[in-house]
Amino acid sequence: MQNDLYKKEKLSYLFSKRVLDIVCSIAGLLLIIPIFVVVCILLKIEDPRGPILFAQKRVGKDGKIFKMYKFRSMVTNAEELFHSLLEKNDVSGAMFKMKDDPRITRIGKWIRKTSIDELPQLWNVLRGEMSLVGPRPALPRELPMYSSYDMQRLLVIPGCTGLWQIKGRNSVGFKEMVELDLQYIANRNLTIDVKIILKTCRVLFGSKEAF
């Protein structure tokens, strides 16, 4: 009886979460059209030949691969330069972040600082590949470094934001991020999701941890 009640509560939450994702992603995509236009113009002025959007393969729920979209904030050959920068990683564990990454363009630094580069992910949310709140979507190259414990992050749909972002973002190491993700997965509900979304909004005005 209790298990049936738990399943109903879980299904109710997942349905409500999906409705929230659809409504907010549609509203967000419509509201930020002016920002899209400005960023597109700036990116083309800085690099007329480079693409505006950057599509990167990410790992979704249950290991399903999808393309995650962002405004391009790096030079066009950024992926080719990646291996030469591995030893300069500023965070621990199975992810790469570099504060003074030479691949980032001038406009890229600004849109990363304000998290504007993440806005196209609303399209991924609308498509159901991502949620507004959830674990950071992993890169395929990171998975070989995952333990069976870390793999639990893939039990739910990845999100645009989560506990890792509002509690330190890039200053949080991989192990800490995993613990925060699993904490979220174990306790998630609509109230927690809304609180995380509201706290994340402050990132758009410039986070000291964003790079």
Side-chain angles (χ1 to χ4, degrees), residues 43 46-47 50-52 54 56 70-79 81-82 85 96-98 101-109 111-112 117 141 211:
L43 288 175
E46 184 173 35
D47 184 2
I52 292 170
F54 174 62
Q56 187 178 50
K70 301 176 73 172
F71 280 123
R72 183 176 62 85
S73 61
M74 293 186 173
V75 294
T76 53
N77 63 334
E79 291 294 302
L81 300 173
F82 171 74
L85 300 171
F96 178 85
K97 291 286 182 180
M98 186 176 173
D101 195 325
R103 300 174 298 166
I104 301 175
T105 64
R106 286 178 299 171
I107 299 301
K109 288 180 181 179
I111 61 177
R112 278 177 170 238
D117 65 316
R141 65 170 176 252
F211 56 83

Side-chain angles (χ1 to χ4, degrees), residues 33-210:
I33 287 176
I35 296 177
F36 272 59
V37 173
V38 171
V39 173
C40 290
I41 292 172
L42 292 175
L43 288 175
K44 278 302 179 182
I45 289 175
E46 184 173 35
D47 184 2
R49 295 184 179 181
I52 292 170
L53 292 177
F54 174 62
Q56 187 178 50
K57 288 184 179 180
R58 293 280 181 152
V59 183
K61 185 178 182 293
D62 299 325
K64 184 178 180 180
I65 302 296
F66 70 97
K67 284 186 177 180
M68 186 185 79
Y69 296 97
K70 301 176 73 172
F71 280 123
R72 183 176 62 85
S73 61
M74 293 186 173
V75 294
T76 53
N77 63 334
E79 291 294 302
E80 297 170 19
L81 300 173
F82 171 74
H83 292 288
S84 65
L85 300 171
L86 273 175
E87 61 182 24
K88 298 180 181 179
N89 194 1
D90 286 324
V91 293
S92 61
M95 60 181 178
F96 178 85
K97 291 286 182 180
M98 186 176 173
K99 190 169 186 179
D100 297 313
D101 195 325
R103 300 174 298 166
I104 301 175
T105 64
R106 286 178 299 171
I107 299 301
K109 288 180 181 179
W110 172 66
I111 61 177
R112 278 177 170 238
K113 187 68 177 177
T114 56
S115 293
I116 287 175
D117 65 316
E118 309 280 357
L119 294 179
Q121 289 168 33
L122 290 174
W123 177 246
N124 291 115
V125 174
L126 186 59
R127 286 166 56 92
E129 297 160 334
M130 293 179 65
S131 177
L132 293 174
V133 182
R136 166 186 172 270
L139 288 160
R141 65 170 176 252
E142 296 171 345
L143 291 191
M145 293 181 276
Y146 272 37
S147 66
S148 57
Y149 183 77
D150 301 333
M151 292 293 285
Q152 294 179 88
R153 300 181 68 248
L154 307 182
L155 293 174
V156 300
I157 296 174
C160 297
T161 187
L163 288 178
W164 68 274
Q165 189 168 31
I166 65 174
K167 292 193 176 183
R169 205 175 183 185
N170 292 323
S171 64
V172 174
F174 177 73
K175 288 184 178 179
E176 296 171 280
M177 184 185 72
V178 171
E179 292 302 326
L180 288 171
D181 286 339
L182 297 187
Q183 177 187 328
Y184 167 75
I185 292 171
N187 301 290
R188 60 193 183 133
N189 58 55
L190 206 59
T191 300
I192 290 176
D193 284 357
V194 172
K195 286 182 178 179
I196 291 175
I197 292 169
L198 293 176
K199 288 182 179 180
T200 301
C201 288
R202 289 183 297 182
V203 175
L204 295 177
F205 297 97
S207 170
K208 292 181 180 178
E209 290 83 21

